[in-house]
């Protein structure tokens, strides 16, 4: 059986996952998929990408695996939320 891969990485999906983890601090894959409104399989693929980028880390507590943001992931999520705030308040324009 071959492992599935992402053909093209959607940056909006990566942002959505980062923001879900930013709000929930530490979550299981199933909850992350639900909160980000993604299929479980696609969520797992994107979590692997974020882990390779060192934005998230896996935490095993024996039976369950939890995901949380690294310092780089927290820094990036702060930038996302700041930019979204500026966009919503028409302080910055987008193309």
């Amino acid at each position: 059986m071959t492992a599935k891969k992402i053909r093209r990485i959607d940056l909006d999906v990566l942002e959505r996952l980062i923001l879900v983890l930013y709000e929930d601090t530490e979550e299981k894959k199933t909850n992350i998929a639900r909160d980000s409104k993604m299929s479980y399989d696609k969520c797992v693929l994107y979590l692997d990408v974020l882990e390779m980028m060192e934005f998230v880390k896996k935490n095993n507590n024996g039976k369950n695996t939890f995901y949380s943001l690294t310092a780089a992931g927290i820094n990036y999520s702060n930038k996302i939320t700041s930019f979204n705030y500026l966009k919503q308040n028409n302080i910055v324009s987008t193309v």
Side-chain angles (χ1 to χ4, degrees):
M1 189 166 147
T2 60
K4 287 192 171 190
K5 293 183 181 179
I6 299 174
R7 290 183 186 194
R8 280 182 276 163
I9 296 174
D10 186 342
L11 296 178
D12 291 333
V13 172
L14 291 177
E15 276 186 15
R16 198 170 4 152
L17 287 171
I18 289 172
L19 291 175
V20 164
L21 284 169
Y22 185 69
E23 291 175 12
D24 297 334
T25 315
E26 188 175 67
E27 279 292 342
K28 295 192 318 188
K29 292 181 276 191
T30 306
N31 296 339
I32 297 168
R34 182 196 63 226
D35 293 346
S36 61
K37 297 178 176 81
M38 304 177 66
S39 72
Y40 178 83
D41 294 335
K42 192 173 198 177
C43 180
V44 169
L45 292 173
Y46 274 94
L47 284 171
D48 288 343
V49 169
L50 286 171
E51 190 175 9
M52 286 188 317
M53 295 171 67
E54 298 182 357
F55 280 21
V56 300
K57 63 182 174 185
K58 280 187 202 177
N59 305 311
N60 293 316
N61 71 349
K63 177 179 153 181
N64 295 314
T65 302
F66 292 90
Y67 285 82
S68 60
L69 290 177
T70 61
I74 292 169
N75 186 28
Y76 187 71
S77 62
N78 286 332
K79 290 178 182 180
I80 294 169
T81 53
S82 296
F83 183 72
N84 287 340
Y85 173 80
L86 294 173
K87 257 187 354 185
Q88 287 175 343
N89 293 300
N90 295 321
I91 298 171
V92 68
S93 62
T94 58
V95 195

